[in-house]
Structures are given as structure tokens and as C-alpha cells.
Amino acid sequence: MNDELEYAQMLEVPVSTVSVVKKKNLFKRKNARDDEELKEQVVDSVNERLGDYVFAEDLSVPPKEEGKKAFAATISDRAGKILVAEIVAACLLAVGIFLTNVFMANSVINTFIKSLSAETTAEASYSEFQLVSVVSDLADAEVSVSAEGVITFTADCCVYPVCDGTVASVTQNTAGLYTVKVEHTSAFTSVITGLSAVYYSQGESVKGNIPVGYTDGSGEVSVSMYNGGELLNCYTLSGALPVWNS
């Protein structure tokens, strides 16, 4: 019993039970109740020696509250890493799109983005455009239009596009005269032929009140308008100004 008490004191833990060995008395019958009382007395004596401040605790298992905090911190750290990864991916995608727009205007991604914009934005009909005079009011030019819808004139003057648009192409024939195709929408276009000089290049924007080219009067200039490739003749001339038929 002394060994067990010394071991309990060394561990500094309270005990709840001990084994008690008594020498047998040859003349007295063993009483179980006496043994139990003796055990209780020994346990109480040991615990009184150790004091109330001694307690047993399994430090290998963290308290439940600390475990919850540690788990929450792990989840928060993982979510933060995922958020940072998403931000980095978005930045890389934005840089890639920007570089593509700058260096590859006709790339697949740019074409796809343009197609989405075209689908979401409805184009205006050709009849919604307000046309302008093909020559200056000060020019000494006789402008006429054929039944097919082709405007023609011969004069030394500047030539204007019928309305705002973008130069789709500039070509020159063997005689040195230029032909300019202007896109007003994906379907509505106009073509000016017989110019002595052109002031714009392919891809540049033109305005209806700014000349697109010049003719020295040595040859006839013609202006035609198309919708989906079909020549338009649904307008008349008011002087040199084309006006849509109502």
C-alpha cells in the first residue's frame, strides 16, 4: 500500500481507490465491511495530503471551445486563399483581354465579344439615317439620280459621304481614280467611285459634314447606296441632297 501511495503522490493526482492487504487473523473471521471502510479511509487520507488544488486533466485532447475556434480559423484561412486565387485569375483574364484587344483586333475573343454586342444592340434601319448632300452647297455641280438609284455628277469639288460611317475599303483603278466603300451599319453601305483623291484610310470613321475625297472634274463621280447588298432607289434628290421616300 505504501508503494501505491508514493506513486499517487509522485503523479500528483487524486485517487479514488487502493488495494489494501491485511494479514489474516487466524482467530477472527474476515469481515468485508471492515475492508471497505479501511479502503475509504486510505483514499480520503491520500486526497487530503494532495490538497483540493490537484486535479486530473487530459492535455492531449484540447477543450471543445478551442477546437471549434481552431476549426473556424482553418475554414477562414481556406476561404481567404480561394478568394485570393479568384481575384488573381480575374486580373489575369482582364490583362489577357486587354492585350488581345490591343494586339489582335480580329482575334476569336474579340470577334465573339463584338458578336455579343451586336446581338444586344439592335442596329438602326437605313431609313432611320438622315442623309446629307454629296457635294457642298457652294459647288457648281449638277447632281442627278437614275431610276436605279445611282447619284452622278461631274464637277471640281469635294465629295461628302451620305451619312456617318466607317471606311470599309479604298481601291484605285488603272486610271488612277479611287473608289471608297463606307459602312454605315453591317447592312447599310454606300460606294463612291471616280474620286481623284481620298482623305481617309480603311478603318477610319467619316462624318457626313466632312469631305471624304475630292474630284478634279475630269471624270464622272457616282454615289450608290446598298442595304444587304441590294441597290437602294427609295429616295429622291432635293438639289444635291438625297431624301428618303415617305
Side-chain angles (χ1 to χ4, degrees):
M1 184 179 68
N2 291 334
D3 292 340
E4 293 186 17
L5 290 179
E6 291 177 359
Y7 182 71
Q9 290 176 346
M10 179 180 64
L11 293 180
E12 294 187 348
V13 295
V15 297
S16 58
T17 181
V18 294
S19 298
V20 178
V21 179
K22 290 177 55 181
K23 293 183 179 181
K24 294 183 178 181
N25 191 334
L26 299 177
F27 302 98
K28 187 177 181 180
R29 190 172 57 182
K30 183 178 179 180
N31 192 335
R33 183 175 179 181
D34 293 341
D35 292 344
E36 291 299 328
E37 290 180 354
L38 181 59
K39 287 181 182 181
E40 291 178 0
Q41 292 175 2
V42 172
V43 169
D44 292 341
S45 175
V46 172
N47 289 337
E48 286 177 0
R49 292 181 185 181
L50 293 177
D52 295 337
Y53 65 93
V54 178
F55 60 93
E57 182 178 9
D58 187 2
L59 298 179
S60 63
V61 180
K64 293 184 178 180
E65 188 64 28
E66 293 182 2
K68 290 181 180 179
K69 290 181 180 179
F71 179 76
T74 302
I75 295 299
S76 177
D77 183 59
R78 185 179 301 173
K81 291 181 179 178
I82 294 174
L83 180 60
V84 170
E86 291 178 350
I87 293 174
V88 171
C91 292
L92 292 176
L93 179 61
V95 171
I97 293 175
F98 173 75
L99 294 177
T100 301
N101 290 337
V102 172
F103 298 107
M104 293 183 290
N106 296 323
S107 64
V108 174
I109 187 170
N110 280 341
T111 304
F112 175 71
I113 293 174
K114 289 178 181 178
S115 65
L116 292 179
S117 300
E119 291 177 0
T120 55
T121 305
E123 288 187 326
S125 171
Y126 68 88
S127 59
E128 297 180 45
F129 285 85
Q130 185 175 358
L131 304 179
V132 299
S133 175
V134 294
V135 297
S136 171
D137 295 338
L138 302 177
D140 185 15
E142 292 184 3
V143 183
S144 61
V145 60
S146 67
E148 291 78 13
V150 179
I151 301 172
T152 58
F153 59 90
T154 302
D156 181 6
C157 62
C158 291
V159 182
Y160 295 77
V162 293
C163 58
D164 298 350
T166 303
V167 176
S169 63
V170 178
T171 58
Q172 187 178 22
N173 61 18
T174 56
L177 298 177
Y178 294 91
T179 297
V180 178
K181 180 180 180 181
V182 179
E183 286 185 347
H184 309 288
T185 69
S186 60
F188 179 38
T189 61
S190 62
V191 178
I192 305 172
T193 62
L195 296 174
S196 304
V198 178
Y199 303 147
Y200 293 88
S201 301
Q202 181 180 354
E204 294 185 316
S205 298
V206 296
K207 298 294 182 181
N209 60 345
I210 300 176
V212 70
Y214 166 78
T215 174
D216 60 9
S218 61
E220 183 180 72
V221 176
S222 65
V223 181
S224 306
M225 290 182 282
Y226 300 86
N227 186 59
E230 181 181 353
L231 182 62
L232 296 175
N233 62 352
C234 52
Y235 62 92
T236 57
L237 288 179
S238 175
L241 174 66
V243 180
W244 299 115
N245 297 332
S246 57

